[in-house]
Amino acid sequence: MGEEKQKTIVNSWNEWDPLKHIIVGKADNCMIPPLEPAVDAKVPLDSEMRRLAGTRRSQESVDRANTQLDNFCDTLRKRGIRVDRPAPMDFSQPVQTPDWKVECMFTCMPPRDILLTVGNEILEATMSYRCRWFDYLCYRDLLNKYFEEDPNMKWEAAPKPRLTDATYKPGYKERSRTEEDKLRLVAAKDFITTEVEPLFDAAEVMRCGKDLFVQHGMTANLKGIEWIRRHFPNHRVHAVNFPGDPYPIHIDATLVPLRPGLAMNNPYRALPEEQRQIFYKNDWEIVDAAKPAHDEPPPLCYSSVWLSMNVLIIDPRTVCVEASEVYQQEQLDKLGFEVIPVPFRDAYPFGGGLHCATADVYREGKCEDYFPKQIEGF
Ligand code: DAV
């Protein structure tokens, strides 16, 4: 069936069922984010991005990223997957609400950060950076279209946060001057955001059918996780955290499910023992992800080398892995996957890897219970 004729269906319950329709981001007009409080806590201490905050990325780097993004789309289309693209805005514009003003916006390269698909619902996340407050506008044409074309699609938006100074902890920067400081704060679950309002990025959520695992970290606070819990009453929502990650943002380079019964965990960001129990109790195996092939991320990249494990699963036997990540490819090959290498390192600086750069619209399959044995209080 040609992709134009494919009926629009919004449905995706997990990260591995057979993929039929997806959104892939674009690098156009991407800015280096301004150093507002939440961005400051995430940009690595030694990154050049600090000096260049609030400036445009070079057109040459944008073009290279877009070439790889377009190539990724072609790879998916050749596999019969329908691909849609967002509408980039002029992200160099200053934006404001009645509460604050910021010198520019950011990007629409990583739709995963904002769009959370759970079953027939697509939920726009609150976000927690001021420069990302308007991200949703880039996806509104697509969501509106899905809403028109699929009579069962549920279009939801989480409450937009105020993001006043009360949302961010005063003095956090002073308390996190070194990597050691950061690790100590993260181990104590002391993150940049306060609990005055619900906050989460969609990329903090790992979907496993009836169970949703949400990272408590730099973008999702406990109130945000509680909001998700009340919003999805038919799901079980588990807050997880990863001591060992000095910059905990987004779960998809940290804990990645591969297929029912198998997940991989970043060995430097181990899921705490008590939070592993639900996996073991239900006969899941958690393997350490292979080491990245690179010692450093590409220049002006705010993500870590662990984008190596930020894979896009096409179906329980097939996975897209970044083309230079030979160790990750080898590991997944040994685990029984067909590995599709996708060149993507030029796109990393614009918002992440192959999983970050996408958002599910349709995967075949239903909501299944992969964790029938629950752990009290988790
Ligand atoms: O390891 O820097 C990247 C995830 C971005 N969505 C990391 C996390």
Side-chain angles (χ1 to χ4, degrees):
M1 184 162 65
E3 71 165 83
E4 306 76 36
K5 295 202 203 87
Q6 190 183 311
K7 194 168 163 237
T8 298
I9 297 172
V10 175
N11 181 74
S12 176
W13 296 100
N14 57 48
E15 310 291 342
W16 59 77
D17 269 344
L19 182 64
K20 296 288 158 192
H21 184 184
I22 199 160
I23 300 170
V24 175
K26 285 190 173 185
D28 307 52
N29 306 339
C30 180
M31 300 293 289
I32 296 184
L35 281 182
E36 46 163 308
V39 178
D40 199 321
K42 167 62 187 168
V43 174
L45 292 164
D46 55 357
S47 173
E48 264 291 276
M49 291 175 74
R50 294 187 166 272
R51 199 173 55 78
L52 296 171
T55 63
R56 270 177 196 280
R57 289 175 184 270
S58 74
Q59 191 55 43
E60 190 262 327
S61 68
V62 170
D63 292 345
R64 276 192 291 132
N66 272 334
T67 300
Q68 295 196 332
L69 282 154
D70 292 349
N71 172 67
F72 182 31
C73 294
D74 289 343
T75 303
L76 296 170
R77 288 191 182 112
K78 277 191 199 118
R79 300 236 158 200
I81 296 161
R82 179 173 155 197
V83 178
D84 285 333
R85 313 297 300 274
M89 295 183 285
D90 174 5
F91 299 116
S92 70
Q93 299 172 70
V95 289
Q96 69 179 87
T97 70
D99 296 309
W100 48 260
K101 186 170 180 173
V102 73
E103 62 196 279
C104 67
M105 292 183 276
F106 187 15
T107 178
C108 65
M109 184 279 199
R112 188 73 62 179
D113 295 2
I114 168 139
L115 300 179
L116 177 63
T117 309
V118 175
N120 62 344
E121 167 173 338
I122 301 184
L123 171 68
E124 298 168 6
T126 69
M127 312 310 282
S128 67
Y129 293 0
R130 291 171 181 161
C131 65
R132 305 199 71 172
W133 207 88
F134 289 103
D135 270 25
Y136 68 96
L137 292 175
C138 302
Y139 306 97
R140 277 285 168 99
D141 287 351
L142 291 177
L143 298 189
N144 195 42
K145 189 162 119 83
Y146 304 155
F147 185 76
E148 286 171 3
E149 293 176 356
D150 176 357
N152 295 314
M153 186 253 190
K154 273 181 71 180
W155 182 4
E156 296 272 1
K160 291 304 280 177
R162 295 286 293 260
L163 304 185
T164 67
D165 290 345
T167 294
Y168 310 104
K169 289 180 188 162
Y172 195 83
K173 190 182 168 75
E174 289 65 39
R175 292 194 288 126
S176 55
R177 290 236 179 258
T178 65
E179 192 108 337
E180 291 73 56
D181 289 342
K182 286 183 177 291
L183 286 168
R184 195 167 25 77
L185 294 172
V186 166
K189 299 191 206 171
D190 185 353
F191 305 112
I192 177 69
T193 52
T194 63
E195 292 289 343
V196 297
E197 59 186 344
L199 297 172
F200 64 96
D201 281 9
E204 299 296 8
V205 183
M206 174 186 118
R207 302 164 306 142
C208 292
K210 208 169 157 51
D211 293 81
L212 303 173
F213 296 85
V214 190
Q215 172 169 225
H216 177 208
M218 290 296 177
T219 83
N221 61 7
L222 291 174
K223 200 180 267 179
I225 298 174
E226 178 59 22
W227 189 91
I228 294 171
R229 184 173 285 128
R230 293 190 206 176
H231 185 73
F232 294 113
N234 298 324
H235 283 73
R236 297 176 296 233
V237 174
H238 311 279
V240 290
N241 66 288
F242 302 93
D245 183 357
Y247 306 95
I249 160 172
H250 303 164
I251 198 166
D252 53 357
T254 298
L255 182 64
V256 173
L258 294 168
R259 60 186 177 225
L262 181 64
M264 61 179 174
N265 185 196
N266 184 318
Y268 290 88
R269 307 173 185 171
L271 182 65
E273 206 47 48
E274 67 281 5
Q275 296 172 23
R276 289 175 172 255
Q277 296 314 314
I278 189 167
F279 290 88
Y280 298 152
K281 206 171 170 179
N282 290 284
D283 299 320
W284 278 63
E285 191 186 352
I286 303 179
V287 296
D288 279 351
K291 68 171 179 162
H294 303 268
D295 295 332
E296 298 276 344
L300 302 180
C301 179
Y302 87 150
S303 303
S304 75
V305 289
W306 290 98
L307 288 180
S308 55
M309 60 185 288
N310 190 258
V311 299
L312 182 75
I313 300 165
I314 302 284
D315 65 53
R317 301 182 56 83
T318 317
V319 61
C320 294
V321 184
E322 205 284 322
S324 66
E325 295 295 346
V326 286
Y327 305 117
Q328 191 56 75
Q329 289 176 30
E330 186 187 357
Q331 179 183 34
L332 290 168
D333 178 68
K334 286 202 178 116
L335 287 167
F337 284 89
E338 179 203 342
V339 173
I340 308 172
V342 178
F344 213 62
R345 234 176 117 72
D346 292 340
Y348 281 4
F350 293 78
L354 297 164
H355 190 260
C356 306
T358 55
D360 291 15
V361 180
Y362 181 27
R363 287 181 189 265
E364 284 176 347
K366 299 195 295 284
C367 184
E368 308 262 358
D369 187 352
Y370 303 99
F371 298 91
K373 298 179 186 146
Q374 291 284 304
I375 303 271
E376 184 75 30
F378 175 58

